[in-house]
Structures are given as structure tokens and as C-alpha cells.
Amino acid sequence: MDNNEILQQHIEGYKKSIIDIINNNTEILIDGDIKPLFKKPPLDSMDLIKSKILDLSKSNKCIIDIDKLSTILDNYRKMLSDCCDEIGKIRKVTLIKIVEDTKIINQKDIIKINKKDFTDINKKIRTIIKKELQNSYEKTIIREIDSLFKKIDTEEAKDKVISGITKYLKGIYQKQILESMDIKILVKDTTLINGVKEQTERYLFTINNSRLFKI
């Protein structure tokens, strides 16, 4: 194996290590940060959506089927969680393309992933989540809303409960989800950028300190 072949192996290893960083970073973001935002809390008292619906029904003298509500909320959360896989794929494919498109010809050529590279990715993520918050709400909660009520005081009272649920989920809840998600994404984006820089430093150190590598 000549020096050029060894060099090419080193370059490919460099690229592969960064692709591994992208994959691992994205999987942690999706499975460890974003999906948990939609998981059912371990205690009913921590379930803000359920508590809000029950409070609304109580204040409007309506009786809600608790078991049915739990089932509907499980379906709602599952739909939201499922869309996260699409987000992960978009992030991986976009960032890996940057790595694969980077041509390394001389010592000044390195792989760079900058803050601006995440702008379009994060816009897409936000758009997907906002759309799925709406779709999941309509396909689970709204579609099954009538079956939730075991007893109502008046139709007007029932309408107030539905209006309150809608206002909460499209307002405060959505805002909290998106804000929490933005923070978690920012942390992982920064971690990924730093990880790429560290790998590049290792790559350059080996290139500059080994006689085998002459670009």
C-alpha cells in the first residue's frame, strides 16, 4: 500500500467518523430529547393535557369518561412521536450530504458544519411538528371528542369545554412544545459542531505529524 492509498484511507476514515457523529447526535436528539416531549408522563398529576381537560369539564359541569380520555391522549401522543422519525431522517440526510460533498484535495480542505447549515433543517423540523400538532389533534381528540362526554349540563357547556381544549392545545401547549424543542435542538446542534471540530483537529494532527501523509 503506497502513501496515497494510506492517505485516502485516512480521509475516508475522517469522513466516516463525522458521519457517525451526525448519526449518533441525531438519534440522541430524536429519541432522547424530542420524543420524550410527547410521551405520557409517569404520573397522572404530571399530565398537563389531561388535567386541563378535566378542569374544563369540571368547571362546565360536564362528566368525562376518564378511560376514553386516556386512550385518546395515548393515540394523540403516538402520532406526534411517530413523526419524529421523519425529522431524524431529514437531519441526517442533509448533514451527511455536506460531508459527502466535501472534496479534500490539499491540507486546507476540511469538513465544516456551521451554524447556518442548521437553519433550513430546523425550519423544516418546526414546520413538521407544528403541522403534526394540528393533524394529531384533529385525527384523535377532535374526531373522538363526542365520545368523551358521559354527561353534559348543556350543549353550550360542552362547546365551552371543546373550545377550551382547542385554545389550550393550539396556544400554550404548542408554544411550550416548540420552545422546549428549540432549546434541545440548539444544544445538540452546538454539540455536533464541536464534535466535528474535534474530529477535524485529530485528522489534521495526524496529517501534519506523519511523513506518510503528503497532500
Side-chain angles (χ1 to χ4, degrees), residues 166-181:
T166 302
K167 183 178 179 180
Y168 173 71
L169 288 176
K170 289 187 175 182
I172 295 173
Y173 178 72
Q174 177 173 291
K175 182 181 178 182
Q176 290 174 340
I177 287 291
L178 293 175
E179 287 178 349
S180 295
M181 187 178 70

Side-chain angles (χ1 to χ4, degrees), residues 181-215:
M181 187 178 70
D182 287 343
I183 292 171
K184 293 178 184 297
I185 289 173
L186 178 60
V187 171
K188 285 301 180 292
D189 289 352
T190 303
T191 301
L192 194 152
I193 289 171
N194 291 336
V196 171
K197 287 180 180 178
E198 289 173 6
Q199 198 60 48
T200 296
E201 288 172 2
R202 293 193 190 100
Y203 164 76
L204 289 176
F205 179 84
T206 305
I207 287 288
N208 294 328
N209 290 277
S210 174
R211 294 178 181 179
L212 291 174
F213 304 127
K214 298 296 181 181
I215 299 181

